[in-house]
Amino acid sequence: MNHVDIAGLPVGDGHPPRIMGVLNMSVESNYDPSTWGDVDGAVEHAEQMATEGADIIDVGLQSSNPKNPWQAVDTELDRLDRALEVVDRADCDAVWSIETRYAEVADAALDGGFDMVNDVCGFADPDMPDVCEKHDAAVVKMASPPDIQSPGHLKSIDDCFAALERGGFTEKTIIDPAFGGWYDEKTHEDNWEMFRRLREFRAFGRPMLTATNREDFLGVVADRPETEDQLAVSLAAATMEVERGADIVRTHDVPETADVVAVAAFLGDGDRANAGDADGDAASLPNVAAREVERNVGLRGHNGVEPGEAATLSFRTTGLNEPIRERLAAIGADYGVLVAAGAGERPSPENVAGGRGDSPASEGTFVAGTASAFEDALAEIAEVDALQPLAGRIRRTLARERLA
């Protein structure tokens, strides 16, 4: 992981996830609780967010919501004067981030007291990387097409990966996968798929920012279509984002999000407590699926070992009688698949003849191995009638992982 220092605030492995509070200073922004047209109100809100747990305050000068028209650079520069007054007057220790798509605005903001840039157009302005490097400033690169008017207007996870790769990175780049609905190009289904596969973005080896707070693709899951009713679904998502690799969580709801992120980091499977080995930089990557292995291989190359040999899959199946378990164990031994039968695997007598037993006391049979081993063993497993449910689950998992 490339650790990033943002004006003394470390972000990345070995450090707790950071909270980015939203402060919009644009008249067209759609979420009123985070929008301030007057400097006095913006100062008070910024100080409140810092008190409630915001490590970073992200000041927006125009809305990136596709429902609103884009604003030219002169509009952002006019609004920057009020934003700089907020930075100057606010009494808080939070890091200040300027959300913009223009290198000219970023340059003026960094000169005036901002600490970092949140580029919602992902270096569509080709001068943005140079400006940030000149100021030694961190920059969030959101996955976007090379179009200054179209932040985030991408569909698939592959499109987002390609956009992040385009134009490269600075030494202090933080990536943003670009969740949301961008002119209907990215549907709810696209967002759900990208959320499930969020760990793949760890392949870049860079800190990651997620921004899903009060997004409709979450609200629809719980039948909460109105923005004001989407706090609970946003908090549920934030816990999973941290589990899947988010280092910064951007939110309108700072105190609630700070609480759930702290719990997710403390109780999760990640390695937040360790910054790396003394002789180098190493971090564990929990829950690595085959597609994440493929992403790392695609970005880095490899030593000739097939990606399927590096990703482990695990399954549990229940109700197998002794002969079927022995048959499964024999197949596993042939192909390097671990088979462990539970002590309570005692099928009911009426199901013994069919090879299955659905005893309530059954602990099930645990089956684990590499994706490649399961690929090789699948045909033989599928030949056994009683193992058809297991074979079907293996087949679907491999297909989902793009290995079969």
Side-chain angles (χ1 to χ4, degrees), residues 46-385:
E47 292 175 344
Q48 179 181 349
M49 286 194 294
T51 300
E52 293 172 339
D55 304 290
I56 305 167
I57 296 173
D58 191 38
V59 181
L61 302 178
Q62 71 166 292
S63 172
S64 59
N65 191 315
K67 298 176 184 177
N68 299 317
W70 73 285
Q71 305 294 323
V73 63
D74 289 343
T75 300
E76 285 203 5
L77 287 171
D78 288 342
R79 294 172 177 176
L80 179 61
D81 290 336
R82 288 187 297 117
L84 289 171
E85 186 177 350
V86 173
V87 173
D88 184 60
R89 287 177 48 188
D91 182 15
C92 63
D93 294 328
V95 167
W96 290 94
S97 167
I98 187 70
E99 182 195 283
T100 185
R101 63 196 71 184
Y102 301 113
E104 184 178 353
V105 174
D107 193 25
L110 294 169
D111 271 336
F114 278 86
D115 303 298
M116 66 177 289
V117 176
N118 183 8
D119 184 354
V120 294
C121 281
F123 299 172
D125 186 331
D127 293 329
M128 184 67 81
D130 290 340
V131 164
C132 293
E133 288 185 327
K134 179 183 75 173
H135 290 276
D136 191 29
V139 57
V140 177
K141 182 181 185 182
M142 189 173 87
S144 294
D147 180 353
I148 207 74
Q149 299 184 31
S150 303
H153 290 200
L154 301 167
K155 183 174 178 63
S156 71
I157 188 172
D158 291 329
D159 294 337
C160 292
F161 254 82
L164 288 169
E165 288 185 88
R166 186 187 310 116
F169 305 102
T170 69
E171 286 296 316
K172 291 189 172 184
T173 297
I174 298 161
I175 62 170
D176 177 352
F179 284 103
W182 308 102
Y183 282 116
D184 294 326
E185 291 181 35
K186 186 176 286 167
T187 64
H188 292 335
E189 289 78 9
D190 295 322
N191 279 291
W192 296 335
E193 175 73 4
M194 192 161 76
F195 196 102
R196 293 184 182 109
R197 297 171 57 183
L198 186 60
R199 291 188 183 96
E200 291 180 43
F201 287 91
R202 298 188 300 191
F204 282 110
R206 295 180 176 276
M208 177 167 60
L209 177 148
T210 53
T212 67
N213 185 244
R214 296 185 183 267
E215 286 284 354
D216 287 343
F217 81 89
L218 298 175
V220 71
V221 175
D223 193 23
R224 300 292 184 185
E226 302 301 325
T227 302
E228 58 266 27
D229 298 327
Q230 293 172 352
L231 174 59
V233 295
S234 299
L235 297 178
T239 63
M240 290 183 282
E241 290 161 37
V242 170
E243 191 84 71
R244 298 174 190 191
D247 298 286
I248 301 174
V249 178
R250 187 177 184 271
T251 180
H252 299 277
D253 306 295
V254 169
E256 298 90 346
T257 305
D259 286 351
V260 300
V261 164
V263 173
F266 185 80
L267 297 179
D269 292 335
D271 196 21
R272 302 272 181 190
N274 300 305
D277 294 336
D279 295 329
D281 183 16
S284 62
L285 294 176
N287 306 310
V288 175
R291 283 183 303 205
E292 188 175 350
V293 176
E294 291 277 10
R295 289 291 185 189
N296 277 278
V297 168
L299 288 173
R300 296 172 176 79
H302 61 104
N303 63 349
V305 176
E306 287 300 315
E309 300 286 354
T312 301
L313 306 177
S314 300
F315 304 89
R316 184 175 67 88
T317 184
T318 60
L320 304 183
N321 65 22
E322 185 67 26
I324 296 301
R325 290 204 311 274
E326 290 178 356
R327 175 67 179 135
L328 179 59
I331 295 172
D334 288 341
Y335 293 98
V337 172
L338 172 68
V339 177
E345 189 80 338
R346 298 185 298 272
S348 55
E350 61 269 25
N351 288 319
V352 169
R356 296 193 61 80
D358 298 320
S359 167
S362 173
E363 295 175 6
T365 298
F366 177 78
V367 187
T370 66
S372 293
F374 277 113
E375 277 191 294
D376 295 339
L378 182 58
E380 285 200 38
I381 294 174
E383 288 178 356
V384 182
D385 288 342

Side-chain angles (χ1 to χ4, degrees), residues 23-27 29 36-39 42 59-61 79 82-83 86:
L23 177 63
N24 290 322
M25 301 196 69
S26 54
V27 295
S29 293
W36 302 89
D38 66 288
V39 172
V59 181
L61 302 178
R79 294 172 177 176
R82 288 187 297 117
V86 173

